[in-house]
Amino acid sequence: MDEIASLRDEGDENDRQFVTALARGLDILGCYGPDDRYLTNHEIAARTGLARPTVSRLTHTLMKTGHLHRDEGNGAYRLAAKVLHLGFGALAGINLAERAGEVMSALSGGPNPYLTIALAERSGVRAIYLAARRQRQAVSLSIDVGARLPLFYSAIGRGILAGMTEDERQEVLRMGIAEFPGQRERMEKSLDDIARDYETYGYCTSFGAWKPEINAIAAPVRSLDGTSVYGLNIGGPSFLVSPEELHEDYGYRLLQAVKELGG
């Protein structure tokens, strides 16, 4: 636990954006194991390496926010129901990735062997790959799980944006402008392109918009609880996958796949 505390302190010292109190609170929530029901402040302090007075303040705060429940008899704490909300989005994504496996494999088995099928979720102004399928061809996109793509320019990112509300899109646009102020007009144009494509096709396109050598189409997929939006993508090298082929041979397949996933 001393090593964890050392890393936490180092992050606090070197990163002005790092909020130590938040990190310590998350340490407390994360110290509960699958067999733990109640933990005392003393036990939490031992597991996290935090000082007892600090633990006492943090557990009290987490109780007030509804993330911990305190047993009035012995003063110990257990995780409260509100903690479940922290995992709902992640669980929805995991469940969707599992459900999408068969559908994605079917898409990758289409007439063009050079396509990559992918599922992604949003993180800030980027799309993060959760799953990918492709036929075993030497020439295909080498983008794998964990890859980060620009939300406004990649097809999969545009698919995610298409599934968001207008207020949510404008908030993401503000985030994008804050991070990349020189790309404001390009991002605003991208939103116009997304709206046009989605209204016309029911999915979004990116034919060289992100990288000249990549063509792709993507559509939004919603989680089972309706709280999260993901992108389902079909794409490949532009010299092997044309926009016409994606529209004519894969547009309908993509929309059917989204329907199967409940999007």
Side-chain angles (χ1 to χ4, degrees), residues 111-113 115 217 240-251:
N112 191 321
L115 289 170
I217 60 176
L240 293 170
V241 182
S242 70
E244 292 75 20
E245 180 181 19
L246 286 170
H247 280 311
E248 295 172 8
D249 295 340
Y250 285 92

Side-chain angles (χ1 to χ4, degrees), residues 198-212:
Y198 196 53
E199 182 178 355
T200 303
Y201 309 116
Y203 55 81
C204 299
T205 68
S206 179
F207 302 142
W210 171 38
K211 292 185 177 182

Side-chain angles (χ1 to χ4, degrees), residues 26 40 42 75 79 107 126 137 151 157 166 193 208 224 229 234 243:
L26 293 174
T40 65
H42 176 76
L79 296 176
L107 284 173
R126 293 168 180 81
Q137 294 290 335
L151 201 65
E166 181 60 26
D193 293 340
L224 291 176
V229 180
I234 304 175

Side-chain angles (χ1 to χ4, degrees), residues 20-47:
T20 302
L22 175 58
R24 289 172 174 169
L26 293 174
D27 283 345
I28 288 176
L29 295 179
C31 82
Y32 282 80
D35 296 325
D36 295 322
R37 181 164 174 78
Y38 282 94
L39 294 177
T40 65
N41 282 338
H42 176 76
E43 291 170 322
I44 292 173
R47 294 189 181 192

